[in-house]
Amino acid sequence: MTSLHLAVELDGDGARVSPRALADAVTAAESSGFSLVTFDDSPLPPGGGFRLDATGRAAYVSTLTDRVGLAATSNVTTAEPFHLAAQLASLDHASRGRAAWIVAADGSAEALATIGGSKLDPAALHREAADVVEAVRRLWDSWDDDAVVKDVATGRYLDPDRVHHVDFTGATFSVKGPLITPRPPQGRPVVLAPDDLAEAVRPDVVLIGGTGLEDVRRRAQRARESGAPLVFAEVEVLLDTDVPAGRRPHDRLRYTGSAAGLTELLGWLATSVDGVRLHTTDLPRLIEEVLPALRKENLLVPPEPGATLRASLGLPRPASVFAAGAA
């Protein structure tokens, strides 16, 4: 029986919610069977003032949950790779192996102005994404899994021979390691990226949009042929509304209609993709009406308590680039 991993974006498009409301939403999503909750972000401040960055919001709920994956968006053009690697590794430790990174790449003049940079053309943008993700992965690998020895007799916390030097030079930056944080529980947190960045960053999960169902099917097939381990469709949901589709502000399939119709759509998508990320402001309706119907049809397999996100998604734990015999 085909099953579907379900993710939900909780606070996208500049939404601002209180810490308590965010915690309530995450724990409700977890108990209802979502595999993953995601946290949007942007180099530009949200309308209306300050908001804690996505990794910070994910860290806040990490100890309040025990099975749902926590995926934070971070922009490769404005984040410092060493700091980013340490943040995400720390999130993976805090969540006991449930961290994920949604790779964003905003090359606009407005985004780059926040760090004193200039607009990037598409080729430079893809090179920057490739460089940042590669540097972050090497930093995650810079500690062997058994580097921490905690030898009380000798007073040694780690074995220095199991911690590796990283000297990475990209097109616009250089990074020296090792990381200051031990290797994450998952080895590497799960990496998600939109399909236009997939070739550059080689993500674990490719996120695809689409102008219609056949477009989603075609893009999913292309992603698989390019080697994507998992493919998730992006779906914007407006339940019980007569608002027409109109202009598309994002590259997403858009659904307007009943909860029953959405359940039917998700069943169809399960024949083409491994998962769906829902963008909605009506999480309670999804929890009350849609997820029970998916479970009844055996389309939804919720994650097990204590499982890592990689285990929940069926992804292998990656070997370190420094492991014997690794490329």
Side-chain angles (χ1 to χ4, degrees), residues 17-325:
V17 297
S18 69
R20 184 67 264 165
L22 180 62
D24 289 344
V26 172
T27 54
E30 176 178 73
S31 63
S32 64
F34 280 96
S35 297
L36 190 66
V37 293
T38 69
F39 305 86
D40 195 21
D41 218 337
S42 168
L44 303 174
F50 172 80
R51 181 176 70 176
L52 185 65
D53 69 14
T55 311
R57 299 197 301 280
Y60 170 70
V61 299
S62 63
T63 60
L64 306 177
T65 53
D66 67 1
R67 75 200 75 172
V68 70
L70 307 170
T73 301
S74 190
N75 197 312
V76 296
T77 60
T78 55
E80 197 285 315
F82 191 98
H83 178 62
L84 177 58
Q87 273 192 315
L88 292 165
S90 297
L91 175 60
D92 206 45
H93 283 287
S95 64
R96 294 181 174 86
R98 292 179 287 117
W101 172 24
I102 301 176
V103 178
D106 187 342
S108 68
E110 294 79 8
L112 273 296
T114 63
I115 59 168
S118 303
K119 181 179 179 179
L120 295 176
D121 62 40
L125 184 64
H126 282 73
R127 174 65 189 274
E128 186 73 0
D131 286 346
V132 172
V133 175
E134 178 64 19
V136 167
R137 283 175 169 146
R138 292 192 192 185
L139 288 166
W140 285 336
D141 287 350
S142 61
W143 291 53
D144 288 348
D145 292 323
D146 57 356
V148 177
V149 295
K150 297 183 180 179
D151 189 333
V152 176
T154 63
R156 290 192 311 158
Y157 174 71
L158 59 85
D159 181 346
D161 293 332
R162 302 175 193 173
V163 180
H164 305 281
H165 182 71
V166 173
D167 190 354
F168 181 87
T169 301
T172 64
F173 67 89
S174 62
V175 171
K176 293 185 182 294
L179 199 62
I180 56 175
T181 309
R183 195 165 193 239
Q186 296 184 99
R188 300 173 190 168
V190 174
V191 175
L192 302 90
D195 54 357
D196 63 334
L197 292 177
E199 185 177 351
V201 307
R202 298 171 288 110
D204 302 295
V205 180
V206 174
L207 302 170
I208 61 168
T211 58
L213 297 181
E214 287 306 315
D215 189 31
V216 169
R217 188 191 295 275
R218 286 191 296 268
R219 291 171 68 168
Q221 183 62 30
R222 286 200 300 269
R224 295 191 193 285
E225 291 172 352
S226 68
L230 295 175
V231 179
F232 278 31
E234 300 269 46
V235 180
E236 184 177 352
V237 175
L238 297 170
L239 290 178
D240 294 337
T241 180
D242 56 3
V243 176
R247 183 178 63 86
R248 292 181 182 276
H250 303 283
D251 180 22
R252 301 172 191 155
L253 190 66
R254 194 178 197 192
Y255 174 81
T256 60
S258 67
L262 177 59
T263 303
E264 183 178 353
L265 171 65
L266 293 174
W268 185 94
L269 288 171
T271 67
S272 299
V273 298
D274 306 292
V276 173
R277 180 165 69 144
L278 301 173
H279 299 257
T280 184
T281 58
D282 204 352
L283 180 61
R285 287 281 306 281
L286 295 180
I287 291 173
E288 293 168 8
E289 300 178 38
V290 177
L291 272 76
L294 293 175
R295 282 195 296 270
K296 184 177 180 180
E297 297 180 18
N298 294 318
L299 286 170
L300 183 70
V301 180
E304 294 294 328
T308 69
L309 179 57
R310 284 187 173 274
S312 294
L313 297 179
L315 293 168
R317 190 176 188 278
S320 166
V321 295
F322 299 103

